[in-house]
Amino acid sequence: MRIFTTILDTVTQRLVSDPFHHDPASLSRIRRAMLDLLPNDTSWEDERLRHRLLVAVDPKSLWFMRVELHQRLCRSMGEEAALDSVQALWPLFEDTIEPALLGKRPGRRGSGLRGDTPPRR
């Protein structure tokens, strides 16, 4: 019975643990780039988003906050410019989050472009 508990604990730990170790410098670079995109508005919504960006604990949470950032930027600069600004952040996330989130599939050749990857120019 003890061996099954040990095996279950090992499997659970591997499934739950994050395979990427977060470099504080890269987290800081991503955070700074996202904060720099925010307009200098003092509205409650902007301050709330700014606070959420500041307290994010890992690049993965910042990755998911891109949607909120995009929505905010759409109001101030238009959809196309906002999309370009948010997509410019994409290279900062490489090697900090899982390739699947970036739209890449490990072990496949060619471009694994999907919706989250920036278009080729």
Side-chain angles (χ1 to χ4, degrees):
M1 185 67 171
R2 186 173 182 186
I3 192 160
F4 291 113
T5 306
T6 306
I7 292 172
L8 182 62
D9 288 344
T10 303
V11 169
T12 304
Q13 183 180 8
R14 298 224 177 178
L15 288 175
V16 172
S17 68
D18 192 2
F20 286 85
H21 299 295
H22 307 299
D23 177 24
S26 63
L27 178 64
S28 180
R29 274 192 304 276
I30 296 168
R31 179 180 286 128
R32 176 56 33 212
M34 292 177 83
L35 287 168
D36 287 345
L37 289 177
L38 278 175
N40 290 330
D41 198 0
T42 57
S43 72
W44 181 83
E45 291 174 335
D46 287 349
E47 288 303 318
R48 185 179 143 271
L49 179 56
R50 188 173 284 111
H51 175 73
R52 290 190 64 220
L53 290 169
L54 286 169
V55 298
V57 295
D58 60 358
K60 190 174 185 178
S61 53
L62 288 173
W63 175 258
F64 290 115
M65 279 191 247
R66 293 173 314 124
V67 175
E68 289 179 63
L69 180 62
H70 176 259
Q71 289 172 348
R72 172 56 188 99
L73 294 176
C74 281
R75 290 194 308 264
S76 64
M77 63 174 59
E79 188 172 347
E80 189 172 331
L83 184 60
D84 288 342
S85 296
V86 171
Q87 282 185 337
L89 298 170
W90 188 82
L92 296 173
F93 287 98
E94 288 183 321
D95 300 325
T96 61
I97 60 175
E98 297 88 5
L101 288 174
L102 292 170
K104 295 181 176 182
R105 296 182 188 171
R108 295 198 59 178
R109 290 185 167 184
S111 65
L113 294 180
R114 289 186 7 202
D116 282 337
T117 55
R120 294 188 183 219
R121 296 183 191 249

